[in-house]
Short mmCIF file of all heavy atoms in Angstrom, two decimals:
data_model
loop_
_atom_site.label_atom_id
_atom_site.label_comp_id
_atom_site.label_asym_id
_atom_site.label_seq_id
_atom_site.Cartn_x
_atom_site.Cartn_y
_atom_site.Cartn_z
N ARG A 828 31.56 -122.45 141.72
CA ARG A 828 30.11 -122.85 141.79
C ARG A 828 29.74 -123.57 143.04
O ARG A 828 28.58 -123.47 143.55
CB ARG A 828 29.78 -123.68 140.57
CG ARG A 828 29.91 -123.00 139.20
CD ARG A 828 29.21 -123.75 138.13
NE ARG A 828 29.37 -123.14 136.87
CZ ARG A 828 28.76 -123.62 135.73
NH1 ARG A 828 27.94 -124.62 135.81
NH2 ARG A 828 28.90 -122.93 134.59
N LEU A 829 30.65 -124.29 143.63
CA LEU A 829 30.31 -125.08 144.86
C LEU A 829 31.03 -124.56 146.06
O LEU A 829 30.83 -125.15 147.20
CB LEU A 829 30.58 -126.56 144.60
CG LEU A 829 29.94 -127.25 143.39
CD1 LEU A 829 30.35 -128.67 143.26
CD2 LEU A 829 28.40 -127.13 143.57
N ASN A 830 31.84 -123.59 145.90
CA ASN A 830 32.54 -123.00 147.04
C ASN A 830 33.50 -123.95 147.71
O ASN A 830 33.50 -124.04 148.92
CB ASN A 830 31.60 -122.34 148.07
CG ASN A 830 32.29 -121.34 148.94
OD1 ASN A 830 33.25 -120.70 148.60
ND2 ASN A 830 31.76 -121.24 150.22
N LEU A 831 34.08 -124.83 146.87
CA LEU A 831 34.99 -125.85 147.46
C LEU A 831 36.40 -125.63 146.83
O LEU A 831 36.68 -125.96 145.67
CB LEU A 831 34.52 -127.22 147.11
CG LEU A 831 33.23 -127.64 147.70
CD1 LEU A 831 32.69 -129.00 147.08
CD2 LEU A 831 33.31 -127.77 149.20
N GLY A 832 37.33 -124.99 147.63
CA GLY A 832 38.62 -124.64 147.12
C GLY A 832 39.50 -125.84 147.21
O GLY A 832 39.18 -126.92 147.69
N PRO A 833 40.77 -125.67 146.69
CA PRO A 833 41.79 -126.79 146.65
C PRO A 833 42.11 -127.35 148.00
O PRO A 833 42.61 -128.39 148.08
CB PRO A 833 43.04 -126.07 145.93
CG PRO A 833 42.44 -125.02 145.17
CD PRO A 833 41.25 -124.46 145.93
N ASP A 834 41.86 -126.57 149.06
CA ASP A 834 42.10 -127.05 150.41
C ASP A 834 41.04 -128.07 150.87
O ASP A 834 41.31 -128.85 151.77
CB ASP A 834 42.08 -125.82 151.36
CG ASP A 834 40.78 -125.09 151.38
OD1 ASP A 834 40.20 -124.91 150.31
OD2 ASP A 834 40.23 -124.72 152.45
N ARG A 835 39.94 -128.08 150.12
CA ARG A 835 38.90 -129.10 150.41
C ARG A 835 38.77 -130.18 149.41
O ARG A 835 38.61 -131.31 149.70
CB ARG A 835 37.48 -128.40 150.51
CG ARG A 835 37.45 -127.23 151.49
CD ARG A 835 37.23 -127.67 152.92
NE ARG A 835 35.97 -128.40 153.00
CZ ARG A 835 34.76 -127.85 153.09
NH1 ARG A 835 34.65 -126.57 153.08
NH2 ARG A 835 33.71 -128.57 153.23
N VAL A 836 38.90 -129.79 148.13
CA VAL A 836 38.75 -130.73 147.01
C VAL A 836 39.97 -130.56 146.05
O VAL A 836 40.22 -129.45 145.53
CB VAL A 836 37.46 -130.50 146.22
CG1 VAL A 836 37.40 -131.36 144.93
CG2 VAL A 836 36.25 -130.82 147.16
N ARG A 837 40.68 -131.66 145.74
CA ARG A 837 41.74 -131.66 144.84
C ARG A 837 41.48 -132.44 143.64
O ARG A 837 40.80 -133.52 143.72
CB ARG A 837 43.05 -132.17 145.56
CG ARG A 837 43.47 -131.29 146.71
CD ARG A 837 44.73 -131.88 147.35
NE ARG A 837 44.65 -133.22 147.84
CZ ARG A 837 43.99 -133.52 148.98
NH1 ARG A 837 43.47 -132.65 149.74
NH2 ARG A 837 43.99 -134.78 149.40
N VAL A 838 41.83 -131.94 142.50
CA VAL A 838 41.55 -132.57 141.19
C VAL A 838 42.82 -132.95 140.42
O VAL A 838 43.79 -132.14 140.36
CB VAL A 838 40.68 -131.66 140.30
CG1 VAL A 838 40.46 -132.27 138.93
CG2 VAL A 838 39.37 -131.27 140.98
N GLN A 839 42.83 -134.14 139.83
CA GLN A 839 43.89 -134.55 139.02
C GLN A 839 43.34 -135.19 137.76
O GLN A 839 42.42 -136.06 137.84
CB GLN A 839 44.81 -135.56 139.79
CG GLN A 839 46.08 -135.90 139.00
CD GLN A 839 46.97 -136.90 139.82
OE1 GLN A 839 46.57 -137.95 140.19
NE2 GLN A 839 48.19 -136.50 140.11
N VAL A 840 43.89 -134.78 136.59
CA VAL A 840 43.41 -135.35 135.33
C VAL A 840 44.55 -136.04 134.61
O VAL A 840 45.60 -135.40 134.35
CB VAL A 840 42.83 -134.20 134.44
CG1 VAL A 840 42.32 -134.78 133.12
CG2 VAL A 840 41.70 -133.44 135.16
N ARG A 841 44.25 -137.27 134.16
CA ARG A 841 45.22 -138.09 133.33
C ARG A 841 44.48 -138.73 132.27
O ARG A 841 43.54 -139.53 132.47
CB ARG A 841 45.92 -139.10 134.23
CG ARG A 841 46.84 -138.56 135.35
CD ARG A 841 48.13 -137.87 134.75
NE ARG A 841 48.98 -137.33 135.77
CZ ARG A 841 48.88 -136.15 136.32
NH1 ARG A 841 47.90 -135.33 135.91
NH2 ARG A 841 49.78 -135.75 137.21
#
Side-chain angles (χ1 to χ4, degrees):
R828 296 195 181 187
L829 301 178
N830 198 30
L831 296 172
D834 58 321
R835 304 280 299 281
V836 174
R837 297 182 301 281
V838 175
Q839 186 178 59
V840 182
R841 294 291 182 272

